[in-house]
């Protein structure tokens, strides 16, 4: 019987691709006096390319941009601080997340989140999505001192939720860090589809969160709706 549902953040609950696109466009406009010698489309596209979907931290991204575009009137540290301060105002969640989280919570499921990243930055983004209230446990890798796919971070979350791995599912977009890592500790791994990968081996696959209730119903062999 599934008692707990755990989620990744970036690319799962947070539409990071759209959020980043919105942020970079806004940063260019706000800091135009320092960046106007660079065509906007070139600045935005190069930032997104260097970011590698969040797997390169922004200090490296901004240092590279400074070098490539000969940005002399603002430092990479200032650009990074702007990112830390402003990204949260551009966070966009995937459709139906509030509806589904609210439904799971009302039906008695324990809810958890495990996300890699910097603690306060990730919490700012979670608060921007207005979803913190749904979760019983939120673990951020910086504050835990370990990150996915380390099995221990999954076990820490399950211990805090007082559930066994066999009583839990994990939903994430990364085949290794989320799906396989969760399965390794004995959880069910549900893959949130991402165009970067295909043929992912998961216990279930969702393209939209509206599909999640039926999947949990099937895993539990009981009716989700009453």
């Amino acid at each position: 019987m599934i008692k707990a549902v755990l989620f990744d953040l970036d690319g799962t609950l947070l539409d990071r691709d759209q959020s980043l696109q919105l942020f970079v466009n806004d940063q260019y406009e706000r800091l135009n006096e320092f960046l106007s010698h660079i065509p906007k489309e070139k600045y935005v596209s190069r930032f997104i390319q260097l970011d590698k979907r969040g797997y390169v931290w922004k200090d490296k991204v901004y240092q590279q941009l400074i070098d490539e575009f000969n940005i002399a009137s603002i430092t990479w540290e200032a650009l990074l601080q702007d990112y830390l301060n402003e990204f949260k105002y551009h966070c966009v969640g995937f459709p139906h997340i509030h509806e589904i989280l609210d439904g799971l919570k009302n039906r008695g499921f324990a809810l958890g989140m495990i996300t890699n990243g910097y603690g306060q930055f990730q919490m700012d983004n979670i608060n921007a999505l207005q979803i913190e209230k749904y979760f019983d446990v939120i673990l951020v890798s910086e504050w835990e001192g370990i990150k996915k796919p380390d099995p221990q971070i999954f076990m820490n979350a399950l211990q805090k939720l007082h559930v066994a791995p066999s009583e839990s599912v994990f939903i994430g977009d990364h085949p290794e860090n989320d799906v396989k890592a969760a399965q390794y500790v004995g959880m069910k791994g549900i893959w949130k589809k991402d165009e970067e990968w295909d043929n992912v081996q998961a216990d279930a696959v969702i393209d939209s969160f509206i599909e999640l209730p039926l999947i949990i119903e099937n895993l539990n062999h009981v009716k989700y709706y009453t």
Side-chain angles (χ1 to χ4, degrees):
M1 174 72 82
I2 301 301
K3 296 180 180 179
V5 184
L6 292 85
F7 296 83
D8 170 51
L9 177 61
D10 294 317
T12 301
L13 295 168
L14 173 71
D15 186 339
R16 190 182 180 280
D17 291 345
Q18 184 180 354
S19 302
L20 189 66
Q21 184 84 32
L22 290 170
F23 164 76
V24 182
N25 275 276
D26 181 65
Q27 182 178 64
Y28 181 90
E29 295 295 341
R30 286 184 297 98
L31 304 181
N32 188 255
E33 63 180 301
F34 308 114
L35 306 173
S36 60
H37 66 286
I38 312 163
K40 181 179 180 180
E41 295 75 13
K42 185 173 289 188
Y43 179 80
V44 172
S45 63
R46 187 58 176 147
F47 185 107
I48 291 172
Q49 183 181 33
L50 291 171
D51 175 70
K52 295 188 184 296
R53 308 194 83 206
Y55 290 98
V56 175
W57 184 235
K58 295 328 144 275
D59 56 351
K60 305 299 183 187
V61 172
Y62 284 119
Q63 288 174 55
Q64 187 68 27
L65 291 174
I66 292 277
D67 288 341
E68 287 187 17
F69 293 132
N70 297 312
I71 301 169
S73 52
I74 189 171
T75 66
W76 68 262
E77 291 93 342
L79 289 168
L80 174 61
Q81 192 59 52
D82 183 76
Y83 172 80
L84 294 174
N85 293 342
E86 299 292 328
F87 182 84
K88 57 181 173 285
Y89 299 118
H90 303 84
C91 289
V92 178
F94 282 104
H96 309 295
I97 58 171
H98 290 89
E99 171 189 346
I100 295 305
L101 292 171
D102 189 61
L104 291 170
K105 195 73 174 175
N106 287 338
R107 287 165 177 80
F109 289 97
L111 299 184
M113 188 191 306
I114 306 173
T115 176
N116 287 350
Y118 289 92
Q120 191 57 55
F121 181 78
Q122 293 296 66
M123 288 306 303
D124 287 344
N125 297 340
I126 291 165
N127 289 328
L129 295 177
Q130 299 182 323
I131 58 175
E132 182 181 8
K133 62 185 178 183
Y134 297 113
F135 289 92
D136 303 292
V137 167
I138 297 174
L139 300 188
V140 185
S141 63
E142 181 195 19
W143 289 343
E144 293 300 303
I146 46 176
K147 64 181 182 178
K148 297 178 296 177
D150 191 316
Q152 192 59 50
I153 198 167
F154 291 89
M155 296 307 298
N156 289 354
L158 296 175
Q159 288 165 11
K160 290 177 184 292
L161 291 170
H162 307 291
V163 294
S166 60
E167 299 172 323
S168 310
V169 300
F170 190 87
I171 299 102
D173 66 303
H174 197 286
E176 300 289 336
N177 294 347
D178 296 324
V179 178
K180 282 191 178 180
Q183 290 173 326
Y184 180 81
V185 301
M187 304 172 72
K188 297 292 186 184
I190 298 176
W191 182 49
K192 171 73 169 60
K193 277 187 182 178
D194 186 295
E195 62 185 16
E196 287 291 303
W197 295 280
D198 53 21
N199 299 319
V200 175
Q201 300 300 310
D203 293 290
V205 176
I206 60 170
D207 192 35
S208 166
F209 274 102
I210 210 72
E211 305 166 58
L212 187 57
L214 181 59
I215 288 172
I216 293 175
E217 176 183 320
N218 290 337
L219 290 172
N220 271 344
H221 305 292
V222 297
K223 291 293 184 184
Y224 182 88
Y225 295 107
T226 58

